[in-house]
């Protein structure tokens, strides 16, 4: 075989590796080595710059009288003077006078220009003609590409990784652009040779695991100086959508772990030859040398030598191992579902019972049951408990009533918890008759606590999931609650007491469930006070989830469809059973505190009986010792049983560089991860202290970050400054914090019912970042003048319009707008909307015939209706999670409560005592200047 060295680029050499039976290519000047032929060295990399944006020109808007059809075609009123240039590719350039930044310059274009597209009229090409929707991240063009190219060259010369470029912006002249939230976090720039593979999947995708900073400060003093919180946001079981990389599974049960710190082998270890012909690998966390398992280089499937470098755990940051028997304390459990159905008068009359039983019946084939071991039980309850015996192989079922709820017992030892496959016929028969059995039930009352105890007795030997459907406040037996809603204390310092559990039963019972590997999901439907704060304790400590349907009425098809969709998705969800999670980190880092739905079993072991998909957790990290390594590794490991009966370990590895530069800490900060961590901390503080304390602490953290940036990164230093500076990658953080302060879970108000506030807090602490961001920073689209491709299908699905700033100044009296926060969708219709618009979208003759309410949008035989419906459908489907948002039509002069609810999503406006974005920025500027002057 001829040596390939004759064709090598200058500076490269090659040598034959007898172990792998292939050539190894090395560049001695940099120490870089690789298995692939170095073709990239032959390419002359030219600096790349962002493509220029097409210019847009603003004409003076014509004014039309109310009702004139021409208004339908009118251009949107631009706010360029107030908002400046909002194009995300126009970066602030450093001033030549030595200042680190220059006030943002208003230029032509921006959001206003993009809205000058009339409906049905040939549009001027917008700047973001193919802008993907939320969750479809556009290509990111870093600023100052020539400078980055220069640092690239230095990096190739062996002078270390290129530092992140810090660009400063002035918040007073750079209004928030919602498209910034679609961008990926700052780039992770690891030192050369940190990773043993060139795989693009070697570092964790942000949707699985992301850190608040992508360059870890080497000392705690440097972190404290920046004031940026250090934390990790983890979504270990996020759903894998079509076209995404599935999680690879290592099936040979060969699991290499560090003998000292128990880290799993990953792409950031080093392989070393210790001289006695045994290859070892050095742990990337504690530097311990470990022997490579002999089977690591053997292909058991083909029974021949294998390629170590092709193993998934060395090429992927997210990987699952099939666990051998030493990872089991018992055989893998089957999936078990015990469904508790409230059959009191309220529940039956609302249609909940009929909708629930029909949904279960329709989703029996979707319940995970590949191994045919899944078990199911149905227990109904009002003031008594109703068990159902379902003998296998028959279509008959027998109801057994237990009226003694003070001492709960199982009326029969068998046939209450049945195999789904074997008892399928009797289960189907029962589900078809439950609603009829209780159709005339006039019993008022709820023995939910005893029903929970009964379900626990049924499944405690195995574990699994209890799903509770409740339409009223539990008031009988264990866990009985009283109506403690007191309007006089809403908005006062005592309100936080309403957000804590009223009875110790729920936390105590939740801990018992956690020990027995039982998880609880709550579906709550009451039109009256239901004490969501107390009931949400059960999902919180057992890794479940709470779903809330206030004033549910199945006679409204929208209510029935929403519940049936979400309940069906929960039943079909591939849950992970009897799970424990631990996060390990490099020496010098420690996991300090944990936020999310789980129970902390020991100092750092999180018990999660049944992990749902798309649930997020936040962990705060402390720097205990000076970090001397060039990079650190954070590794999450979740030991679990799949719902198909296989014991597995999911490992997620994230490697981040270390830095002693404060500017690099700021340049690497991830504003989405910071906002997620702040939301979790705010909810916890509102429960341990007061709501006001939670708001103050969140606001103060933002002030501290801005003050630190001003004093350390700008020429103003400690003096007063007319500007409010922050790094470009953090410029959305103030509006995210404002959105959090205005969220129902935290907001200062005396009109928010405790149940709604408690449910909002449950969402704030469990939603993944992709879904949490619109919940605190809603999306706002103009539909009446959207570009012609919006609402049509592109390469990445339905194309969404360009999002607008969240201010009512963008609302036009003749317009149609969509506002959504991931939980609710509003269609705002201006009072001067012309009849043609109303007819095309709602199939009604004019605006006066339109009624503002919860609705289902008709699909009509016209292009505009189909595009609007496509956008609504895309909004419901594009994010991870089971949620199916309601759609409300809101008339500009319609019912005040509905109008105010929709307008509360426009968080840049002033509302009650809450400031507008401009006022908020002004307050921040005053505090930042004041903080540096006393």
């Amino acid at each position: 075989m001829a040596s390939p060295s004759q064709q090598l680029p200058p500076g490269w050499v090659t040598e034959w590796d007898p172990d792998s039976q292939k050539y190894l290519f090395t560049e001695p000047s940099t120490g870089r080595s690789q298995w692939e032929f170095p073709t990239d060295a032959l390419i002359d990399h030219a600096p790349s710059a962002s493509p220029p944006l097409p210019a847009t020109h603003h004409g003076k808007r014509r004014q039309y009288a109310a009702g004139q059809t021409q208004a339908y075609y009118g251009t949107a009123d631009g706010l360029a003077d107030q908002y400046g240039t909002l194009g995300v590719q126009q970066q602030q350039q450093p001033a030549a006078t030595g200042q680190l930044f220059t006030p943002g310059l208003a230029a032509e274009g921006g959001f206003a220009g993009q809205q000058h597209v009339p409906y049905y009229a040939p549009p001027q090409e917008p700047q973001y003609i193919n802008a993907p929707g939320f969750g479809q991240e556009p290509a990111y063009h870093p600023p100052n590409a020539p400078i980055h190219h220069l640092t690239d060259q230095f990096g190739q010369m062996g002078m270390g990784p290129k530092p992140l470029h810090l660009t400063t912006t002035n918040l007073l002249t750079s209004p928030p652009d919602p498209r910034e939230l679609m961008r990926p976090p700052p780039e992770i720039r690891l030192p050369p040779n940190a990773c043993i593979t060139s795989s693009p999947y070697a570092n964790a995708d942000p949707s699985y695991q992301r850190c608040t900073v992508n360059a870890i400060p080497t000392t705690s003093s440097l972190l404290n100086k920046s004031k940026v919180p250090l934390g990790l946001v983890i979504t270990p079981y996020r759903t894998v959508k079509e076209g995404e990389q599935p999680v690879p599974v290592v099936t040979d049960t060969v699991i290499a772990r560090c003998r000292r710190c128990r880290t799993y082998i990953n792409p950031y270890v080093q392989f070393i030859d210790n001289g006695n012909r045994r290859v070892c690998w050095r742990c990337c966390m504690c530097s311990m040398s470990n022997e490579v398992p002999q089977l690591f280089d053997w292909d058991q499937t083909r029974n021949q030598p294998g390629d170590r470098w092709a193993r998934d755990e060395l090429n992927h940051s997210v990987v699952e191992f099939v666990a051998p028997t030493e990872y089991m304390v018992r055989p893998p459990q089957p999936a078990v579902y015990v469904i508790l159905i409230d059959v009191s008068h309220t529940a039956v009359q609302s249609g909940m019972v009929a909708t629930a039983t029909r949904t279960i019946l329709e989703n029996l084939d979707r319940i995970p049951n590949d191994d045919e071991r899944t078990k199911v039980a149905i227990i109904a309850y009002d003031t008594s408990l109703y068990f159902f015996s379902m003998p296998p192989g028959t279509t008959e079922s027998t109801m057994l009533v237990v009226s003694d709820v003070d001492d709960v017992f199982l009326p029969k030892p068998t046939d209450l918890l049945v195999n789904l496959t074997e008892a399928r016929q009797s289960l189907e028969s029962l589900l078809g008759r439950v609603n009829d059995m209780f159709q005339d039930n006039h019993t008022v009352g709820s023995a939910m606590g005893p029903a929970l105890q009964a379900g626990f007795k049924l499944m405690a030997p195995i574990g699994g999931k209890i799903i509770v459907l409740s339409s009223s406040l539990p008031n009988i037996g264990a866990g009985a609650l009283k109506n403690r809603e007191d309007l006089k204390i809403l908005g006062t310092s005592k309100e936080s007491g309403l957000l804590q559990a009223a009875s110790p039963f729920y936390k105590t019972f939740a801990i018992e469930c956690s020990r027995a590997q039982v998880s609880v999901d709550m579906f709550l439907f009451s039109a009256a006070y239901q004490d969501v704060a107390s009931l949400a304790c059960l999902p919180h400590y057992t890794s479940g989830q709470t779903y809330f349907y206030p004033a549910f009425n199945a006679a409204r098809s929208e209510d029935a469809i929403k519940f049936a969709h979400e309940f069906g998705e929960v039943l079909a969800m591939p849950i992970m059973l009897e799970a424990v999670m631990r996060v390990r980190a490099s020496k010098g880092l420690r996991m300090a505190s944990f936020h999310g739905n789980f129970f902390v079993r020991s100092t750092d072991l999180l018990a999660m009986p049944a992990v749902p998909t798309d649930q997020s957790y936040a962990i705060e990290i402390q720097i205990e010792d000076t970090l001397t390594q060039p990079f650190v590794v954070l590794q999450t490991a979740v030991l679990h049983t799949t719902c198909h009966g296989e014991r597995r370990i999911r490992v997620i590895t994230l490697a981040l560089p270390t830095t002693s530069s404060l500017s690099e800490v700021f340049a690497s900060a991830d504003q989405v991860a910071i906002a997620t961590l702040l939301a979790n901390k705010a909810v916890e503080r509102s429960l341990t202290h007061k709501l006001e304390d939670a708001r103050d602490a969140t606001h103060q953290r933002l002030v501290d970050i801005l003050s630190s940036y001003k004093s350390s990164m700008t020429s103003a230093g400690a003096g007063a400054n007319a500007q409010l500076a922050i790094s470009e990658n953090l410029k959305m953080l103030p509006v995210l914090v404002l959105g959090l302060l205005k969220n129902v879970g935290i907001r200062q108000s005396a009109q928010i019912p405790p149940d709604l506030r408690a449910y909002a807090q449950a969402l704030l602490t469990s939603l993944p970042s992709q879904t949490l961001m619109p919940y605190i920073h809603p999306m706002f689209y103009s539909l009446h003048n959207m570009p012609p491709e919006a609402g049509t299908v592109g390469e990445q699905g339905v194309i969404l319009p360009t999002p607008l700033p969240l201010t009512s100044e963008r609302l036009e009296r003749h317009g149609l707008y969509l506002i959504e926060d991931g939980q609710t969708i509003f269609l705002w219709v201006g009072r001067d909307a012309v009849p043609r618009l109303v007819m095309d979208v709602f199939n009604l003759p004019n605006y006066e015939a339109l009624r503002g309410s919860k609705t289902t949008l008709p699909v009509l035989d016209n292009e505009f209706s189909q595009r609007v419906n496509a956008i609504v459908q895309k909004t419901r489907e594009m994010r991870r999670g089971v949620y199916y948002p309601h759609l409300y039509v809101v008339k500009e002069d319609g019912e005040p409560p509905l109008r105010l609810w929709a307008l509360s999503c426009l968080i840049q406006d002033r509302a009650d005592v809450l400031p507008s974005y401009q006022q908020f920025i002004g307050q921040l500027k005053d505090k930042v200047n004041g903080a540096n002057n006393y």
Side-chain angles (χ1 to χ4, degrees):
M1 176 186 282
S3 169
S5 58
Q6 303 166 356
Q7 303 139 12
L8 284 174
W12 285 81
V13 296
T14 182
E15 58 180 300
W16 177 256
D17 184 63
D19 294 332
S20 60
Q21 294 294 304
K22 56 184 177 182
Y23 285 102
L24 177 68
F25 301 94
T26 308
E27 189 177 21
S29 61
T30 63
R32 179 178 169 194
S33 61
Q34 61 188 53
W35 297 109
E36 297 82 11
F37 188 85
T39 54
D40 57 336
L42 300 171
I43 302 172
D44 181 21
H45 296 284
S48 61
S50 301
L53 299 175
T56 54
H57 303 281
H58 305 302
K60 185 175 179 181
R61 177 185 154 205
R62 295 177 62 187
Q63 302 294 324
Y64 296 105
Q68 286 190 341
T69 304
Q70 288 89 339
Y72 197 11
Y73 301 87
T75 61
D77 206 1
L79 296 175
D81 292 337
Q82 178 182 351
Y83 280 100
T85 302
L86 296 179
V88 294
Q89 294 181 342
Q90 297 179 0
Q91 304 289 339
Q92 304 291 339
Q93 299 295 331
T97 61
Q99 289 264 355
L100 288 179
F101 65 90
T102 303
L105 301 176
E108 284 193 329
F111 273 104
Q114 294 164 36
Q115 300 311 309
H116 287 223
V117 186
Y119 167 50
Y120 288 144
Q124 182 179 6
E125 180 158 305
Q127 295 180 1
Y128 284 75
I129 190 87
N130 291 316
F134 189 93
Q136 302 173 354
E137 296 173 345
Y140 179 56
H141 302 282
N144 303 323
I147 296 177
H148 280 206
H149 176 61
L150 187 61
T151 53
D152 271 335
Q153 293 176 336
F154 281 128
Q156 293 170 4
M157 292 168 61
M159 300 178 68
K162 56 185 179 180
L164 285 166
H165 181 72
L166 183 68
T167 304
T168 302
T169 188
N170 180 11
L171 290 171
L172 298 177
T173 54
S174 299
D177 182 348
R179 290 169 295 187
E180 290 289 333
L181 296 176
M182 304 173 194
R183 299 204 177 282
E187 181 185 356
I188 297 174
R189 296 181 178 174
L190 292 167
N193 302 321
C195 185
I196 60 175
T197 177
S198 58
S199 167
Y201 306 109
N203 222 348
D205 187 271
S207 60
Y208 285 106
Q209 185 164 292
R210 64 197 302 167
C211 190
T212 53
V213 289
N214 282 344
I216 304 294
T218 52
T219 63
S220 59
S221 60
L222 182 62
L223 177 64
N224 293 335
K225 186 176 181 181
S226 74
K227 302 299 182 183
V228 177
L230 180 57
L232 203 59
V233 178
I234 309 169
T235 311
Y237 292 104
R238 68 118 162 115
T239 47
V240 178
K241 295 193 173 183
E242 186 178 353
E244 292 181 331
Q245 177 76 12
V247 176
V249 180
V250 179
T251 59
D252 59 8
T253 67
V254 178
I255 302 176
R257 298 182 66 181
C258 176
R259 289 178 293 136
R260 179 190 293 157
C261 67
R262 308 303 293 156
T263 296
Y264 293 83
I265 198 168
N266 58 75
Y268 300 96
V269 303
Q270 290 181 329
F271 286 93
I272 54 177
D273 188 348
N274 61 7
N276 59 359
R277 295 191 177 184
R278 289 302 301 271
V279 178
C280 298
W281 62 275
R282 180 177 291 130
C283 177
C284 54
M285 290 196 189
C286 70
S287 300
M288 180 78 173
S289 293
N290 304 272
E291 289 188 2
V292 176
Q294 292 182 353
L295 291 175
F296 219 63
D297 297 313
W298 184 260
D299 188 335
Q300 297 184 50
T301 305
R302 298 186 178 90
N303 202 27
Q304 64 184 29
D307 182 5
R308 174 196 310 165
W309 306 104
R311 290 187 67 93
D312 287 325
E313 59 265 53
L314 298 181
N315 290 279
H316 291 80
S317 60
V318 183
V319 67
E320 268 194 4
F321 298 95
V322 174
T325 54
E326 55 261 34
Y327 287 85
M328 307 177 195
V329 295
R330 62 175 183 175
Q333 72 169 78
V336 178
Y337 298 85
V338 175
I339 303 174
L340 311 182
I341 305 176
D342 181 354
V343 292
S344 64
H345 178 73
T346 305
V348 174
Q349 293 305 307
S350 69
M352 183 274 282
V353 176
T355 308
T357 51
R358 185 176 66 250
T359 303
I360 298 170
L361 187 59
E362 292 173 351
N363 287 277
L364 286 177
D365 288 329
R366 299 179 67 204
I367 294 176
N369 189 29
D370 285 359
D371 57 356
E372 297 190 346
R373 295 196 306 153
T374 299
K375 295 179 180 294
V376 178
I378 306 290
I379 301 176
Y381 67 94
D382 45 27
T383 58
S384 302
L385 305 183
Y386 305 92
F387 296 84
F388 297 96
S389 173
M390 295 172 282
T394 70
T395 58
E396 299 300 321
S397 59
T398 306
M399 184 170 74
L400 307 168
V401 182
V402 175
S403 300
D404 184 2
V405 295
D406 294 324
D407 185 16
V408 175
F409 63 93
L410 300 180
K412 191 179 179 184
T414 59
D415 297 337
L416 299 178
L417 182 65
V418 296
N419 181 284
L420 176 57
T421 302
E422 296 173 358
R424 177 68 178 263
Q425 290 180 316
S426 56
L427 182 60
E428 289 180 352
S429 173
L430 171 65
L431 290 170
R433 293 186 292 114
V434 168
N435 188 65
D436 294 335
M437 289 180 190
F438 299 97
Q439 186 64 49
D440 299 322
N441 187 6
H442 296 287
T443 304
V444 176
S446 171
M448 179 200 288
L452 284 163
Q453 292 173 329
F456 179 76
K457 283 179 180 290
L458 261 182
M459 67 195 314
I462 307 173
K465 181 181 283 290
I466 296 177
I467 300 176
V468 183
L469 311 176
S470 172
S471 288
S472 55
L473 183 71
N475 57 4
I476 294 173
L481 299 170
K482 295 180 179 178
N483 189 337
R484 54 179 177 147
E485 187 174 32
D486 187 351
L487 300 179
K488 296 192 295 296
I489 67 173
L490 298 184
T492 70
S493 60
K494 296 180 180 179
E495 184 180 4
S496 59
L498 298 178
L499 302 175
Q500 299 165 0
S503 168
F505 166 81
Y506 292 97
K507 183 173 182 181
T508 304
F509 182 74
I511 295 172
E512 286 182 30
C513 287
S514 181
R515 287 198 192 101
Q517 305 296 347
V518 173
S519 176
V520 182
D521 280 350
M522 303 292 296
F523 286 80
L524 307 175
F525 302 88
S526 178
Y529 177 70
Q530 199 168 1
D531 204 345
V532 173
S534 294
L535 301 182
C537 267
L538 289 169
H540 177 71
Y541 290 109
T542 63
S543 70
Q545 186 60 283
T546 302
Y547 302 91
F548 188 36
Y549 307 88
F552 176 85
N553 184 357
R556 290 192 299 262
S557 61
E558 292 80 16
D559 283 9
I561 290 171
K562 175 181 173 64
F563 167 52
H565 178 275
E566 295 180 356
F567 186 33
E569 290 299 310
V570 169
L571 290 172
M573 183 184 294
I575 54 176
M576 288 69 187
L577 303 163
E578 48 183 349
V580 288
M581 181 170 82
R582 175 173 274 135
V583 181
R584 296 177 174 89
S586 296
K587 184 180 179 181
L589 297 177
R590 182 176 70 87
M591 303 301 118
S593 58
F594 306 88
H595 308 275
N597 290 1
F598 46 72
F599 180 69
V600 183
R601 186 178 296 176
S602 62
T603 52
D604 64 344
L605 188 67
L606 310 182
M608 299 182 288
V611 186
T613 54
D614 299 313
Q615 192 171 90
S616 185
Y617 314 95
I619 301 177
E620 295 180 74
I621 303 173
Q622 280 186 358
I623 301 176
E624 292 187 312
D625 300 316
T626 300
L627 304 177
T628 57
Q629 299 296 325
F631 68 96
V632 297
V633 175
L634 300 161
Q635 188 179 80
T636 301
V638 189
L639 175 64
H640 68 278
T641 299
T642 69
C643 49
H644 309 306
E646 192 171 47
R647 197 72 171 147
R648 288 187 179 182
I649 309 157
R650 176 163 292 198
V651 177
I652 305 170
T653 305
L654 175 66
L656 299 170
T658 58
T659 181
S660 57
S661 165
L662 187 60
S663 65
E664 196 165 1
V665 174
F666 281 115
S668 71
D670 181 349
Q671 57 194 355
V672 170
I674 292 172
T676 305
L677 180 60
L678 291 179
N680 279 270
K681 287 172 65 68
V683 171
E684 180 177 332
R685 192 167 184 85
S686 72
L687 299 176
T688 58
H689 294 73
K690 294 183 294 187
L691 277 164
E692 185 180 0
D693 293 336
R695 291 189 291 265
D696 290 347
T698 305
H699 187 270
Q700 188 58 46
R701 173 65 80 167
L702 179 58
V703 171
D704 290 345
I705 293 172
L706 293 169
S707 299
S708 173
Y709 193 90
K710 172 178 173 289
S711 61
S712 306
M713 295 291 109
T714 71
S715 59
N721 195 352
Q723 299 172 335
L724 185 60
I726 194 62
S727 56
E728 182 78 16
N729 52 295
L730 286 178
K731 70 179 183 181
M732 289 297 289
L733 185 59
V735 76
L736 290 177
V737 169
L738 179 62
L740 176 58
L741 295 176
K742 291 187 174 184
N743 185 271
V744 171
I746 306 294
R747 183 196 308 165
Q748 180 182 357
S749 173
Q751 277 83 41
I752 300 175
D755 279 353
L756 288 180
R757 198 185 280 280
Y759 178 61
Q761 292 196 347
L763 292 176
L764 288 173
T765 56
S766 61
L767 291 177
S769 294
Q770 186 208 31
T771 314
L772 179 63
M773 287 306 101
Y775 189 53
I776 62 176
H777 183 282
M779 303 303 288
F780 179 28
Y781 306 107
S782 175
L783 301 184
H784 62 286
N785 55 5
M786 58 183 171
E789 71 278 0
T792 63
V793 179
E795 292 182 0
Q796 297 182 340
V798 174
I799 300 172
L800 295 176
T802 302
L804 303 177
L806 293 171
T807 170
S808 59
E809 293 177 357
R810 305 310 292 262
L811 294 173
E812 294 186 330
R813 295 178 65 173
H814 62 268
L816 175 68
Y817 299 87
L818 186 146
I819 311 168
E820 62 91 14
D821 66 357
Q823 301 295 315
T824 311
I825 302 173
F826 299 101
L827 272 182
W828 179 280
V829 187
R831 68 177 68 187
D832 291 343
V834 294
R836 183 180 173 191
L837 170 62
V838 178
M839 176 60 74
D840 282 354
V841 177
F842 303 104
N843 200 28
L844 294 171
N846 51 47
Y847 176 80
E848 288 70 26
L850 190 61
R851 294 289 173 264
S853 64
K854 193 184 300 181
T855 189
T856 300
L857 206 59
V859 180
L860 305 175
D861 189 20
N862 68 79
E863 181 193 10
F864 190 63
S865 169
Q866 293 163 7
R867 290 167 61 200
V868 171
N869 272 279
I871 291 171
V872 171
Q873 190 64 20
K874 168 83 170 184
T875 301
R876 282 177 165 152
E877 295 176 350
M878 65 184 175
R879 300 191 187 97
R880 295 183 173 91
V882 304
Y883 301 100
Y884 185 86
H886 271 314
L887 174 67
Y888 288 86
V889 172
V890 185
K891 298 177 67 174
E892 182 181 351
D893 56 0
E895 299 82 357
L898 189 55
R899 286 180 58 253
L900 292 174
W901 184 15
L903 291 174
S904 69
C905 292
L906 303 181
I907 58 174
Q908 291 177 227
D909 287 344
R910 182 174 180 176
D912 296 329
V913 296
L914 304 173
S916 68
Y917 177 74
Q918 293 297 332
Q919 291 171 324
F920 185 63
I921 290 296
Q923 293 171 4
L924 289 174
K925 177 193 162 193
D926 294 342
K927 288 205 170 189
V928 168
N929 285 332
N932 289 298
N933 283 330
Y934 62 81

